[in-house]
């Protein structure tokens, strides 16, 4: 195996060469559905890494150059308002992608983990990574999940983005087309059921839900 580039909550990223990386899930699984979603949204013009191979727990993808949005916000190469506007735009662009087989015309592709650590700021523009949680559903659920993740950072002490998360959330809500309140409880339930969400994060979900509610009501 070549050099380890990064480790997430459930996967490790290895450099294969100058243009490819391997994302390997530590607990196994099947990446074919994730890869199919990425290819589908890419065919509709949404920015994702190119997929070279997908089998079992291994996903070989395009190697991206650039910081995460969180890193860019941290070193002030990206200001809070611009970052929140980019994230809102990515959500809106994704939710314009229609699902081929859906009977409900309001059903869209959802990422369900779209936050500043899962956006790479490349020279060509932002690219969205980590599609493990993607599914189909109402756009409001995706916005609710993004808002809840950001709000959790705000109410949890010790995170590097703790003091910036609330104004970031407020700007995100001001730029969002979809009101997350109708799907906020569903987003909370999904976070509770997610094994990759820490016990500390789950303990702060009620506070985070209240913060999202306040921010959303100020703009919808």
């Amino acid at each position: 195996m070549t050099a380890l580039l990064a480790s997430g909550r459930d996967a490790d990223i290895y450099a294969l060469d100058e243009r490819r990386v391997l994302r390997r899930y530590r607990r196994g699984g099947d990446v074919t559905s994730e890869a199919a979603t990425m290819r589908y949204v890419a065919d509709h013009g949404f920015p994702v890494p190119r997929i070279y191979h997908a089998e079992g727990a291994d996903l070989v993808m395009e190697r991206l150059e650039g910081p995460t949005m969180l890193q860019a916000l941290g070193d002030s190469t990206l200001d809070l308002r611009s970052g929140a506007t980019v994230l809102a735009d990515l959500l809106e662009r994704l939710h314009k992608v229609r699902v081929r087989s859906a009977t409900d015309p309001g059903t869209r592709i959802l990422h369900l983990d779209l936050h500043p650590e899962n956006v790479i700021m490349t020279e060509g523009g932002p690219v969205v990574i980590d599609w493990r949680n993607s599914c189909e559903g109402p756009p409001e659920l995706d916005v609710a999940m993004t808002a809840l993740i950001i709000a959790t950072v705000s109410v949890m002490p010790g995170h590097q983005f703790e003091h910036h998360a609330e104004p970031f959330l407020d700007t995100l809500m001001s730029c969002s087309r979809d009101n997350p309140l109708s799907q906020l409880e569903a987003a909370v339930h999904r976070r509770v059921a997610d094994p990759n969400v820490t016990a500390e994060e789950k303990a702060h979900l009620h506070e985070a839900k209240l913060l999202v509610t306040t921010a959303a009501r100020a703009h919808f």
Side-chain angles (χ1 to χ4, degrees), residues 97-219:
V97 179
R98 294 186 178 273
V99 180
R100 247 189 318 247
S101 58
T103 55
D104 182 346
T107 299
R108 294 292 187 269
I109 302 291
L110 311 182
H111 185 278
L112 293 185
D113 200 20
L114 187 43
H115 55 79
E117 287 185 275
N118 281 338
V119 179
I120 306 297
M121 306 300 291
T122 74
E123 286 189 2
V127 179
V128 178
I129 62 171
D130 196 355
W131 290 77
R132 186 77 183 263
N133 293 341
S134 60
C135 69
E136 299 174 1
E140 293 83 1
L141 177 59
D142 221 3
V143 176
M145 187 66 77
T146 292
L148 189 63
I149 292 169
I150 293 167
T152 302
V153 170
S154 179
V155 299
M156 275 182 56
H159 193 282
Q160 67 182 95
F161 199 54
E162 175 188 357
H163 301 297
H164 306 291
E166 188 169 350
F168 187 94
L169 174 64
D170 185 69
T171 301
L172 179 71
M173 290 294 94
S174 73
C175 297
S176 294
R177 181 185 65 178
D178 299 304
N179 187 340
L181 291 181
S182 65
Q183 294 294 325
L184 185 53
E185 195 62 43
V188 170
H189 287 312
R190 282 179 174 268
R191 294 290 285 173
V192 170
D194 189 338
N196 291 313
V197 177
T198 68
E200 184 181 9
E201 287 169 331
K202 291 177 182 179
H204 286 83
L205 280 174
H206 179 68
E207 295 171 77
K209 176 185 171 183
L210 293 178
L211 186 58
V212 174
T213 300
T214 299
R217 284 178 175 169
H219 298 286

